[in-house]
């Protein structure tokens, strides 16, 4: 019996993923300046012409890679939300923080060179899906468990401030410019979140 050929769409998807995997490895190893389409194609085991069937240039590959990293981090956060969604919101918040740092650590060499050497890729803007997911979950959780939080809490404003702080901290952390180690950063972020959501300074 003859082997059935895989659908063209499936083969195309596999090729794109191979290219993105190769770009991730080349970028992590050599940095942005030396991450050429030739090196990406060689690492993927395809010709340069084959690469250009799917991407117009190096930045086109890396933009899609940044999007895939954002999707991966969002998926990790969503998984921890599903696992830890319950009555103790601090357990949920800690799990989400752990997921963010773990996912960022996994991709940090790539994210670092994208941020420092390729600002045109607008990596932070491509990570907005991550913060949007966190804000949506936070807003919904607070609405369903309102008595656990400060009576006068301005939910949208507080979440906006917390997310902006987390975004700035993670940017410094990824770029290696933060002098504070991860465990201290997470502890401070947990305390900041608790103070913002629960502690009533008027009492």
């Amino acid at each position: 019996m003859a082997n059935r050929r895989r659908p063209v769409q499936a083969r195309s998807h596999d090729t794109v993923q191979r290219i993105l995997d190769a770009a991730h490895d080349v970028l992590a190893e050599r940095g942005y300046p030396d991450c050429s389409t030739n090196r990406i194609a060689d690492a993927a085991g395809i010709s340069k012409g084959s690469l250009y069937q799917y991407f117009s240039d190096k930045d086109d590959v890396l933009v899609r890679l940044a999007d895939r990293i954002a999707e991966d981090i969002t998926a990790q956060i969503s998984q921890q939300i599903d696992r830890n969604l319950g009555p103790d919101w601090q357990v949920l918040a800690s799990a989400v923080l752990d997921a963010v740092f773990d996912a960022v650590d996994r991709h940090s060499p790539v994210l670092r060179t994208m941020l420092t050497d390729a600002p045109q890729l607008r990596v932070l803007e491509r990570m907005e899906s991550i913060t949007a997911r966190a804000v949506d979950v936070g807003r919904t959780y607070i609405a369903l468990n309102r008595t656990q939080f400060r009576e006068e809490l301005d939910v949208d404003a507080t979440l906006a401030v917390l997310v902006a702080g987390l975004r700035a901290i993670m940017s410094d952390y990824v770029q290696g410019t933060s002098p504070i180690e991860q465990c201290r950063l997470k502890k401070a972020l947990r305390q900041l979140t608790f103070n913002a959501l629960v502690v009533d300074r008027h009492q």
Side-chain angles (χ1 to χ4, degrees):
M1 182 176 178
N3 290 331
R4 292 183 178 180
R5 297 190 64 186
R6 299 180 65 208
V8 172
Q9 185 174 6
R11 295 199 304 274
S12 297
H13 174 78
D14 288 350
T15 302
V16 168
Q17 296 310 308
R18 283 171 58 197
I19 293 170
L20 296 179
D21 289 342
H24 191 284
D25 293 344
V26 173
L27 193 60
E29 180 181 346
R30 306 190 66 95
Y32 178 81
D34 291 328
C35 180
S36 65
T37 52
N38 281 336
R39 288 196 170 102
I40 294 171
D42 287 344
I46 63 174
S47 68
K48 186 176 179 180
S50 294
L51 184 148
Y52 282 122
Q53 291 179 19
Y54 303 97
F55 299 98
S56 59
D57 55 25
K58 176 175 77 172
D59 280 0
D60 193 22
V61 178
L62 299 184
V63 163
R64 181 63 189 94
L65 176 60
D67 287 339
R68 192 177 73 167
I69 291 172
E71 291 164 6
D72 176 60
I73 297 175
T74 303
Q76 292 296 313
I77 292 173
S78 297
Q79 186 178 63
Q80 289 304 313
I81 289 170
D82 292 341
R83 287 179 177 175
N84 295 278
L85 192 59
D88 191 338
W89 70 269
Q90 292 186 67
V91 169
L92 175 62
S94 293
V96 169
L97 270 180
D98 288 342
V100 170
F101 275 93
D102 289 347
V104 166
D105 280 343
R106 188 165 58 254
H107 298 292
S108 60
V110 167
L111 292 173
R112 185 175 298 120
T113 192
M114 284 181 172
L115 283 169
T116 57
D117 297 330
Q120 73 276 12
L121 300 180
R122 299 179 180 178
V123 173
L124 292 182
E125 292 180 22
R126 299 183 182 285
M127 301 292 156
E128 285 302 311
S129 60
I130 301 168
T131 54
R133 171 68 169 145
V135 168
D136 286 345
V137 170
R139 185 184 295 113
T140 301
Y141 189 95
I142 292 170
L144 294 174
N145 301 274
R146 196 63 184 84
T147 58
Q148 294 187 40
F149 303 96
R150 288 192 303 162
E151 183 178 350
E152 78 283 9
L153 179 66
D154 184 332
V155 176
D156 288 336
T158 301
L159 289 176
V161 170
L162 291 174
V163 166
L166 177 60
R167 187 185 295 117
I169 288 170
M170 294 309 300
S171 176
D172 288 344
Y173 179 76
V174 168
Q175 295 180 74
T177 57
S178 174
I180 310 299
E181 59 267 27
Q182 182 187 128
C183 62
R184 292 173 61 198
L185 287 174
K186 288 197 288 190
K187 182 178 179 180
L189 284 166
R190 284 194 294 266
Q191 188 61 53
L192 178 66
T193 302
F194 180 82
N195 290 344
L197 297 178
V198 176
V199 174
D200 189 346
R201 299 187 182 278
H202 298 294
Q203 292 184 351

